[in-house]
Amino acid sequence: MPELTKLTVPLDVGGVTIRNRVFLAPMSGITDEPFRQRAHAHGAGLVVSEMVASGELAKGRAGCDLRIRHSGLPVHMVQLAGREAVHMAEGARIAEGEGADIIDINMGCPAKKVTGGYAGSALMRDLDHALTLIEAVVGAVEVPVTVKMRLGWDEGALNAPMLARRAEQAGVRMVTVHGRTRCQFYQGKADWRAIARVKEAVSIPVVANGDVGSAAEAADILEQSGADAVMVGRAHYGAPWIAGSIAAAGGAAGIPQSPRALADYIIAHYEDMLTLYGSESGLRQARKHLGWYLDRHAAGAGLDQRKAILTSFEPARVIAELRDAFSTAAAPVTLRSAA
């Protein structure tokens, strides 16, 4: 697949060098520090923080500091969401002060709790207002600013090319486009060819996103969109190595190759989350990850065992049950089962 060759080439984003062109998407409640560190270690070219509400960040709300703090990776990219220019600018300054190398503006989240506050993809319904946010962030920081968007609000308003063009004129250095409208949420198939219209509208790098989980799909989205890079999101559920696997054409670093190694890997991820959030919060936040690991790699685990892993408030019991569940897993991890 010759299209994949360019994914190994570094990409310049406003003077920041990205080591390859397969990125981990920002996902709320998922791409926290332990997850980003793993994805980077496996070879993802760029990893992005969870979405941070700029108003809450500007007001110093608890928990925001964990989302924006520098995790020691070569490129620290923070995604901000919001509706108020003053909060977006202040949030960007705070993130830059914490070491952010790139600030991303969320104009693509379809969640009702976000769009209901006229943020995320709701901003694509009012491009003039969207531009005031972009201009505020670009004017507030010295680091590159990027934007993540959808094709538009609905099929009657596919205005991503216009937003991208105006964003470039305002100083944005890269745009990412998810190949669905907001009203599609995650239903149907992402329209990769529609992303090509954004690529034709701008001269800055364009990142294609939506329904990519394998090298073959990465090659297809590149061919159909003409994009400069790809961003992978939900395919990482239970497999933090997916972006690295695509970037390395199947040779990602550090993928556990046996049930025992996978158990060790998952337990280390679990313990890192407990350390980051504290035991009480970490127990709850880790459960979705443990569920995805079980679904993907230990589907034969019994219902009682799954319940113990996903409901216990005793870390020692969770760890013991994980070791038992993966000691009887049928096969080692493979890219076929993980992509």
Side-chain angles (χ1 to χ4, degrees):
M1 292 176 281
E3 296 86 356
L4 294 178
T5 303
K6 76 175 182 181
L7 292 179
T8 65
V9 179
L11 178 67
D12 180 88
V13 178
V16 177
T17 300
I18 311 302
R19 62 179 179 174
N20 68 56
R21 302 183 183 213
V22 188
F23 306 160
L24 169 69
M27 292 180 282
S28 185
I30 299 169
T31 56
D32 58 11
E33 184 176 309
F35 200 95
R36 296 197 307 274
Q37 288 177 328
R38 281 163 174 76
H40 178 269
H42 293 305
L46 181 66
V47 298
V48 190
S49 79
E50 303 172 77
M51 176 181 69
V52 184
S54 59
E56 294 185 3
L57 179 59
K59 295 172 184 176
R61 294 285 175 82
C64 289
D65 56 331
L66 294 182
R67 293 192 172 204
I68 68 166
R69 78 176 189 179
H70 204 297
S71 56
L73 301 180
V75 177
H76 182 42
M77 185 170 179
V78 172
Q79 187 186 71
L80 297 177
R83 173 74 180 181
E84 303 296 332
V86 64
H87 289 155
M88 290 292 287
E90 180 60 18
R93 283 190 286 267
I94 293 170
E96 183 182 39
E98 291 294 320
D101 300 293
I102 302 174
I103 304 292
D104 186 60
I105 302 174
N106 184 313
M107 295 189 175
C109 180
K112 291 181 180 179
K113 67 179 181 180
V114 176
T115 59
Y118 302 103
S121 57
L123 293 166
M124 300 193 74
R125 305 182 78 177
D126 186 349
L127 297 195
D128 289 341
H129 183 68
L131 262 291
T132 67
L133 305 185
I134 292 171
E135 291 165 352
V137 174
V138 171
V141 297
E142 298 295 326
V143 299
V145 175
T146 64
V147 175
K148 190 171 189 291
M149 64 186 72
R150 288 200 164 213
L151 297 176
W153 179 259
D154 57 28
E155 291 294 328
L158 300 177
N159 55 2
M162 183 181 298
L163 175 57
R165 184 166 54 247
R166 294 182 66 179
E168 180 181 20
Q169 292 168 351
V172 163
R173 309 306 291 268
M174 181 176 76
V175 296
T176 299
V177 185
H178 183 114
R180 289 183 175 87
T181 66
R182 183 272 174 183
C183 289
Q184 285 181 273
F185 286 89
Y186 295 98
Q187 297 176 350
K189 182 74 171 66
D191 186 350
W192 295 341
R193 294 191 184 280
I195 300 172
R197 292 193 285 273
V198 179
K199 176 61 180 172
E200 293 165 359
V202 298
S203 59
I204 55 177
V206 173
V207 184
N209 174 227
D211 295 341
V212 177
S214 68
E217 288 164 344
D220 286 345
I221 200 172
L222 287 175
E223 180 180 10
Q224 293 182 37
S225 69
D228 302 280
V230 299
M231 181 172 277
V232 185
R234 292 169 295 152
H236 283 98
Y237 291 0
W241 49 81
I242 291 297
S245 299
I246 295 170
I255 299 177
Q257 295 296 328
S258 69
R260 175 174 290 185
L262 183 56
D264 290 340
Y265 180 97
I266 295 167
I267 290 165
H269 188 175
Y270 178 64
E271 292 176 332
D272 283 351
M273 293 189 71
L274 298 184
T275 299
L276 178 66
Y277 297 110
S279 181
E280 183 177 349
S281 178
L283 279 166
R284 294 193 303 271
Q285 298 201 50
R287 285 170 178 162
K288 56 182 169 290
H289 293 284
L290 299 183
W292 291 326
Y293 282 126
L294 289 167
D295 290 343
R296 201 157 196 164
H297 309 294
L303 292 178
D304 288 344
Q305 189 167 53
R306 283 183 62 92
K307 182 177 179 180
I309 291 169
L310 300 179
T311 64
S312 175
F313 286 93
E314 301 174 17
R317 184 182 181 194
V318 172
I319 290 170
E321 294 287 355
L322 284 169
R323 289 205 181 280
D324 184 65
F326 285 93
S327 71
T328 57
V333 182
T334 67
L335 291 179
R336 177 182 293 273
S337 66

